[in-house]
Amino acid sequence: VQLQASGGGLVQAGGSRNLSCTFSGSFNGFTSFFYGIGWYRQAPGKHREGVSCFSSADLSTYYSDSVKGRFTISRDAAKNTVVLQMESLKPEDSAVYYCVLSRYKGGAEYFCLINDYDVWGQGTKVTVSS
């Protein structure tokens, strides 16, 4: 499976930005599987943080406290794509955002916390100017 992430860029504080992650391919020839997918971010000098995740098994979502109420994750199953809508952006949201995916049957919250995934996408950098 490959992940293609896009959408990073420069945005002013208070603005909005959408990140998109599309996956393609298969796991050992299987193209239909339950999965967890989500976004991690890492800012310079900070620990990597699981920001938001989605589970296809129970359709649950998870948001870290730092983004709850401002970010929304949604899935387009037909396109194998998840979109992270980021609103009311703050300078502290500046980071490289990574899309992650694993075969997975649990809930979104645990998926976002395990920090161990089958696939990591290339990062996309978001810079929020004050």
Side-chain angles (χ1 to χ4, degrees), residues 84-125:
L84 184 68
Q85 297 174 269
M86 305 185 295
E87 299 178 346
S88 302
L89 284 163
K90 305 174 181 179
E92 51 264 43
D93 293 317
S94 297
V96 178
Y97 285 70
Y98 298 92
C99 183
V100 296
L101 179 143
S102 285
R103 290 159 294 179
Y104 180 75
K105 295 182 180 181
E109 180 173 1
Y110 183 70
F111 180 78
C112 239
L113 298 176
I114 57 178
N115 199 13
D116 183 15
Y117 305 104
D118 292 333
V119 188
W120 286 78
Q122 89 282 8
T124 185
K125 188 174 182 180

Side-chain angles (χ1 to χ4, degrees), residues 44-66:
K46 293 188 177 180
H47 292 295
R48 201 160 47 189
E49 175 190 15
V51 172
S52 180
C53 294
F54 171 84
S55 168
S56 75
D58 63 5
L59 305 183
S60 59
T61 58
Y62 166 81
Y63 302 94
S64 66
D65 288 342
S66 60

Side-chain angles (χ1 to χ4, degrees), residues 6-20 39-41 51-52 63-64 66-74 82-90 92-98 124-128:
S6 62
L10 177 65
V11 61
Q12 288 188 331
S16 301
R17 195 84 180 181
N18 288 352
L19 302 182
S20 179
W39 294 91
Y40 263 70
R41 69 184 181 186
V51 172
S52 180
Y63 302 94
S64 66
S66 60
V67 307
K68 197 173 295 182
R70 301 187 297 120
F71 290 12
T72 303
I73 190 169
S74 60
V82 291
V83 174
L84 184 68
Q85 297 174 269
M86 305 185 295
E87 299 178 346
S88 302
L89 284 163
K90 305 174 181 179
E92 51 264 43
D93 293 317
S94 297
V96 178
Y97 285 70
Y98 298 92
T124 185
K125 188 174 182 180
V126 175
T127 303
V128 184

